[in-house]
Amino acid sequence: MPWNQIVAEHGEVLFRIAFRVLRNAHDAEDVTQEVLLEAHQMTQLPDSGLLRRMATLRAIDRLRRRVNSHELDLGIRDHRCRAPDQLTEDAELDQLLRAAIGRLPKHQAQCFWLRYVDGLTNQEIAKSIGMSATAVSTSLHKARKTLRDACQTIKESSK
């Protein structure tokens, strides 16, 4: 398939996926370009589900590198109509949440993002990433538990 057609058909969706994970346009563009280039070099273009999975995994990998270098960006929460002190607190919580998500195992982080950021159902996630719906449910359960434990640790340390 020609490059322009691949970009036209999949570029915007892949960028949105990467941007939702990274909250940084430059990094999201890099991830999108890497995935599109890899897809273009394949003998047969992967289906859109596999392309979405590739974008999610690459973005999570890049997020992990940020966690290790402490360069997290913010933006998970809706910041409209908030007082300045609440915005500061939200920004700190967003940073902590992104750091905790960046430390999750790949499948847990991927399932978490697809479910809670992209809004996919467990069945849609399973189809998209090639896992069973039961495995997706288990990954989500483990991810939520890990994140809950991380929040509890933060609360206890701030007392």
Side-chain angles (χ1 to χ4, degrees):
M1 177 179 282
W3 173 256
N4 291 341
Q5 187 176 354
I6 294 172
V7 172
E9 288 181 19
H10 303 286
E12 186 178 335
V13 171
L14 299 178
F15 176 82
R16 281 192 314 239
I17 289 168
F19 186 80
R20 283 181 184 147
V21 173
L22 298 165
R23 291 291 181 201
N24 178 290
H26 178 72
D27 287 345
E29 287 171 355
D30 288 348
V31 167
T32 302
Q33 186 174 17
E34 290 171 14
V35 171
L36 291 172
L37 183 60
E38 186 175 341
H40 180 65
Q41 293 172 342
M42 294 179 176
T43 56
Q44 181 179 356
L45 183 67
D47 65 17
S48 62
L50 180 57
L51 290 173
R52 289 174 63 108
R53 180 177 185 203
M54 291 166 62
T56 302
L57 289 173
R58 294 249 175 129
I60 289 170
D61 285 344
R62 193 171 286 248
L63 180 63
R64 282 190 173 123
R65 286 194 299 270
R66 273 199 222 159
V67 167
N68 292 337
S69 66
H70 307 293
E71 296 174 9
L72 290 173
D73 200 343
L74 308 173
I76 291 176
R77 299 172 186 267
D78 183 0
H79 296 299
R80 292 175 285 195
C81 303
R82 306 288 252 171
D85 60 332
Q86 188 63 47
L87 287 173
T88 302
E89 184 179 325
D90 287 351
E92 290 172 6
L93 291 173
D94 284 346
Q95 187 173 10
L96 292 170
L97 180 59
R98 283 185 181 278
I101 292 168
R103 290 184 188 101
L104 290 172
K106 274 190 178 185
H107 283 295
Q108 290 178 26
Q110 182 181 23
C111 289
F112 185 88
W113 277 104
L114 291 173
R115 179 73 177 106
Y116 296 107
V117 177
D118 287 346
L120 298 181
T121 66
N122 289 6
Q123 290 75 21
E124 290 171 328
I125 295 168
K127 182 179 179 186
S128 174
I129 63 176
M131 291 174 70
S132 70
T134 303
V136 169
S137 294
T138 301
S139 289
L140 286 170
H141 174 75
K142 289 178 180 180
R144 286 189 302 265
K145 182 182 180 335
T146 301
L147 294 173
R148 219 177 356 259
D149 291 347
C151 288
Q152 186 63 33
T153 302
I154 291 167
K155 285 180 186 177
E156 290 171 2
S157 68
S158 66
K159 288 182 180 179

